[in-house]
Amino acid sequence: YKALVEILGALPTNTKVYCGHEYTVNNLIYAERVEPGSQAVQQKLAWAKSQRDKHLPTVPSTIGEELKFNPFMRVKETPVQQHAGTTDPVAVMGFIRKEKDNFKIGGR
């Protein structure tokens, strides 16, 4: 929680984020489960699928973008807290981490 939300989340919004593996589409499918009504998630997912269909990367992202659609950086946001059933951001992080660890695409 502290590293992701308090430290990385406090960086300038234009800070570039590079992941070590190409998991963007899968991560966004999970984000859609957490926030099914989120336009930011839906738009980023459509873009990411398009990129991958063309064999193009989806990275880098920015901290500002991640704050809009990454549920792990949105643990203080009401829709993510509602999904987790708690308003404690640390508990929300624990809930979504455990859920994501067991998340299977198609098994929504």
Side-chain angles (χ1 to χ4, degrees):
Y1 170 83
K2 183 176 174 98
L4 190 59
V5 175
E6 294 179 3
I7 297 174
L8 293 178
L11 292 171
T13 57
N14 65 344
T15 301
K16 292 187 180 194
V17 177
Y18 292 86
C19 58
H21 301 280
E22 187 59 69
Y23 295 139
T24 305
V25 170
N26 290 348
N27 289 342
L28 287 163
I29 291 171
Y30 175 70
E32 189 176 45
R33 174 179 167 71
V34 175
E35 292 188 86
S38 169
Q39 289 290 333
V41 170
Q42 291 168 7
Q43 289 171 354
K44 186 69 174 186
L45 179 57
W47 173 84
K49 285 179 176 180
S50 174
Q51 288 292 99
R52 298 309 299 147
D53 287 346
K54 295 181 270 188
H55 304 286
L56 296 172
T58 62
V59 293
S61 180
T62 65
I63 292 294
E65 289 176 303
E66 296 291 326
L67 290 169
K68 293 177 185 174
F69 57 73
N70 183 335
F72 294 95
M73 295 190 80
R74 295 177 51 74
V75 296
K76 294 180 180 180
E77 302 300 323
T78 301
V80 179
Q81 292 177 345
Q82 288 173 337
H83 176 79
T86 181
T87 57
D88 174 35
V90 175
V92 172
M93 179 74 74
F95 177 90
I96 62 175
R97 178 70 271 160
K98 184 175 181 180
E99 183 179 64
K100 174 72 166 69
D101 287 345
N102 297 303
F103 181 72
K104 303 285 187 261
I105 295 175
R108 300 182 202 175

